[in-house]
Amino acid sequence: MFDTESFVDECKTAVETTNSDPLAIRDIVSRAVSEPSAILTGLGEPDQAGFQTLYQSDDLTILNFAWAPLMSLLPHDHNDIWAVIGLYSGREDNIFWRRNENAIEASGADALGEGDVSVLGKNVIHSVLNPVRRMTLALHVYGGDFFSD
């Protein structure tokens, strides 16, 4: 079964010992999402969209996200914080954007499925879509306080 406390401790240790290297976190998240049923047993299966905060500090935030069927989120950034996203159920489509002189423009895309992990750099702008007719579930780990201004 997925042990939330052990997962959080492992992420905290990686941030402390690697100078907040998202690649170290990617390895931890990859191991976790390689056993989706264990995460579902440990965290439960959500019945509505939203997120559960598993850990929050100045240098690390860990969230369990549930995206509703066909839910989309407009382009956004993470305020100079890297992110590691690991899917354990469903699918997530990302469109990546870049700033030009007057606006933002699409610059790439990536589709994540069960077991996939993506690392988003500090300056990434992306939009998100759950293109399937069921919940998409993902662990999100951020290299900072996701909720700070």
Side-chain angles (χ1 to χ4, degrees), residues 1-8 32 35-46 52-54 64 88 137 139:
M1 177 167 49
F2 179 77
D3 182 344
T4 303
E5 187 175 328
S6 294
F7 179 75
V8 168
E35 298 184 53
S37 61
I39 298 174
L40 286 168
T41 300
L43 295 177
E45 189 161 354
Q52 171 189 18
T53 302
L54 303 179
N64 181 35
Y88 63 95
L137 308 174
L139 295 173

Side-chain angles (χ1 to χ4, degrees), residues 6-141:
S6 294
F7 179 75
V8 168
D9 287 345
E10 198 172 349
C11 289
K12 286 167 52 178
T13 298
V15 164
E16 292 167 4
T17 60
T18 66
N19 198 25
S20 194
D21 182 357
L23 298 181
I25 298 297
R26 180 193 62 195
D27 294 341
I28 297 165
V29 173
S30 291
R31 282 194 308 275
V33 299
S34 72
E35 298 184 53
S37 61
I39 298 174
L40 286 168
T41 300
L43 295 177
E45 189 161 354
D47 56 4
Q48 62 184 14
F51 63 88
Q52 171 189 18
T53 302
L54 303 179
Y55 181 79
Q56 179 187 5
S57 72
D58 288 343
D59 59 354
L60 183 68
T61 303
I62 304 172
L63 305 174
N64 181 35
F65 262 93
W67 299 100
L70 307 176
M71 182 176 174
S72 65
L73 190 60
L74 295 174
H76 63 281
D77 63 22
H78 297 141
N79 296 321
D80 277 338
I81 298 174
W82 55 256
V84 177
I85 300 165
L87 263 67
Y88 63 95
S89 181
R91 183 171 152 181
E92 177 180 306
D93 290 351
N94 287 271
I95 297 175
F96 298 104
W97 303 84
R98 68 173 161 236
R99 295 185 198 287
N100 65 27
E101 293 177 12
N102 302 313
I104 59 172
E105 60 189 9
S107 65
D110 190 22
L112 302 175
E114 185 177 297
D116 289 338
V117 176
S118 180
V119 177
L120 304 180
K122 290 182 174 188
N123 299 315
V124 168
I125 302 169
H126 71 132
S127 54
V128 182
L129 169 67
N130 173 7
V132 297
R133 296 188 182 277
R134 63 185 173 97
M135 294 286 240
T136 289
L137 308 174
L139 295 173
H140 287 219
V141 181

